[in-house]
Amino acid sequence: MILIGMYDSSYTRRVAIAMALYGIDFEHRAWSVGRDFDRIREYNPLGRAPTLVLDDGEVLTESSMMLDYLDDLVGPDRALMPATGHARRDAQRLIALATGAIDKAILIALERIFRPVEQHSQAWLSRCRVQVEGALGELEKACVARGDAPWLVGDAMGHADIAVACYATHLREAIPLDLAPWPALRARVDRCEALEVFRSHYSPFSAPAPTAQANPA
């Protein structure tokens, strides 16, 4: 398989970490959605990362779809997502909160990168930040509720742990955002980021550079 995208993308990174945990070999093409847009579009018409090219040439273009495919590939006994019931819904809820937070954080970053300062919408930026902090508050509650349990759902690392850690790290670097107001969340993120599988699939956030042709609207 071929995984396209840089590891400063938390979406790409969570797929890479899952593949590493599953022991699935893949070729990593660290292409930038800015610098390598046209090359990515040869596989994915959206020009987005991550893009996953399967062994038979089929192309997957959305990270949750990729993880669903990988879970199905390895089977329910090894999947990083609970198969059914409350545990599955709990994992999905935490992933949705983390995903919502990073989606809003990316909008904040793009507003700052692609619009001149005098055109920034402070109302929009404030609204996005309220949404980010609301999601982090709910994640903090979940981390507190788990206490000393090492993982967010169940007795082993799962997609919820990976998503929360990858997205929170992205938040720290892209906005940037200090996680100090959410100490239980910060502790869990730090614990994940200390693991070799996280360290070996990491690149510091690199803000995309606007081009003369970029349309900020």
Side-chain angles (χ1 to χ4, degrees), residues 110-209:
L110 292 178
E111 177 81 358
R112 292 172 174 170
I113 292 166
F114 286 97
R115 290 186 187 272
V117 172
E118 62 272 15
Q119 294 183 14
H120 287 178
S121 169
Q122 294 306 318
W124 172 249
L125 291 172
S126 296
R127 179 184 175 89
C128 288
R129 186 150 190 138
V130 165
Q131 291 173 292
V132 169
E133 293 179 355
L136 294 181
E138 290 301 308
L139 291 172
E140 173 73 5
K141 291 177 185 177
C143 293
V144 170
R146 289 295 285 170
D148 294 331
W151 309 112
L152 287 170
V153 180
D155 299 324
M157 182 191 296
H159 287 313
D161 302 286
I162 299 168
V164 168
C166 288
Y167 291 153
T169 294
H170 197 165
L171 281 168
R172 276 173 158 171
E173 298 182 359
I175 290 184
L177 182 71
D178 186 358
L179 294 180
W182 306 278
L185 171 63
R186 180 180 61 181
R188 284 187 176 273
V189 171
D190 289 345
R191 188 160 59 245
C192 283
E193 291 293 357
L195 299 174
E196 175 59 29
V197 70
F198 281 81
R199 294 199 308 269
S200 60
H201 299 90
Y202 166 81
S203 294
F205 176 70
S206 177

Side-chain angles (χ1 to χ4, degrees), residues 9 17 24 36 44 54 60 69 83 91 100-103 107-108 118 124 128 133 142 146 149 159 182 186 189 201 203:
S9 160
I17 290 171
I24 297 173
D36 303 300
N44 179 350
L54 306 184
L60 306 183
Y69 168 81
I102 195 60
D103 285 348
L107 292 177
I108 292 172
E118 62 272 15
W124 172 249
C128 288
E133 293 179 355
R146 289 295 285 170
H159 287 313
W182 306 278
R186 180 180 61 181
V189 171
H201 299 90
S203 294

